[in-house]
């Protein structure tokens, strides 16, 4: 989970180290963090179906004893039922109109790569 050099601000920037900086939504670390946020949502929801990220709208990262991602993510209901414990990668989005559901979420995902710890202090949908 390494932030590419391109997402670090130049020295003349007004952003101080430790401040959140924008990062590309296609960044592998961002995508991984979004998935952790989705897991957290799925574990706390009462929905019969699993949700999966459909679009990462905005991503920021802050270097603070690891990487703290601040993500605005759209998640959608999949066809996979929770009790099946499916891998989200193989879950397709609902096609049935009356079962489709989209939520806008804000996740804060704090990853400490060296300890393999992931903490998700904020998951609002």
């Amino acid at each position: 989970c390494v932030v590419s050099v391109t997402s670090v601000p130049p020295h003349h920037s007004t952003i101080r180290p430790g401040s959140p900086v924008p990062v590309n939504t296609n960044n592998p670390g961002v995508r991984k963090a979004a998935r952790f946020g989705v897991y957290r949502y799925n574990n706390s929801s009462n929905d019969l179906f699993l949700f999966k990220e459909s679009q990462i709208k905005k991503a920021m990262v802050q270097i603070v004893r690891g990487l703290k991602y601040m993500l605005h993510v759209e998640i959608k209901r999949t066809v996979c039922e929770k009790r099946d414990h499916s891998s989200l990668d193989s879950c397709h989005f609902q096609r049935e109109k009356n079962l489709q559901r989209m939520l806008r979420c804000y996740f804060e995902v704090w990853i400490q790569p060296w300890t393999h710890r992931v903490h998700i202090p904020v998951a609002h949908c």
Side-chain angles (χ1 to χ4, degrees), residues 21-111:
V21 293
V23 61
N24 191 310
T25 54
N26 287 322
N27 175 296
V30 168
R31 296 168 75 88
K32 193 169 157 186
R35 178 60 58 90
F36 281 125
V38 169
Y39 286 148
R40 160 87 190 263
Y41 173 79
N42 283 331
N43 286 336
S44 62
S45 89
N46 295 324
D47 206 286
L48 287 174
F49 296 95
L50 291 169
F51 278 70
K52 182 166 91 168
E53 65 281 4
S54 58
Q55 194 179 9
I56 300 169
K57 297 294 238 179
K58 185 180 172 195
M60 305 276 282
V61 68
Q62 183 177 13
I63 298 169
V64 43
R65 295 192 314 280
L67 297 173
K68 182 179 178 188
Y69 291 95
M70 287 143 273
L71 309 172
H72 293 269
V73 183
E74 284 184 359
I75 68 174
K76 288 183 180 173
R77 187 183 273 148
T78 68
V79 295
C80 296
E81 291 192 22
K82 251 191 202 176
R83 60 194 165 100
D84 296 338
H85 298 294
S86 309
S87 159
L88 280 179
D89 289 330
S90 58
C91 291
H92 300 289
F93 294 116
Q94 278 288 355
R95 286 199 183 85
E96 271 189 67
K97 270 276 183 267
N98 62 335
L99 286 176
Q100 287 178 354
R101 184 146 187 239
M102 188 270 282
L103 298 170
R104 289 188 177 87
C105 304
Y106 173 71
F107 299 136
E108 285 185 9
V109 181
W110 186 36
I111 299 174

Side-chain angles (χ1 to χ4, degrees), residues 6-17:
T6 54
S7 67
V8 176
H11 291 299
H12 58 77
S13 166
T14 56
I15 298 172
R16 296 183 314 281

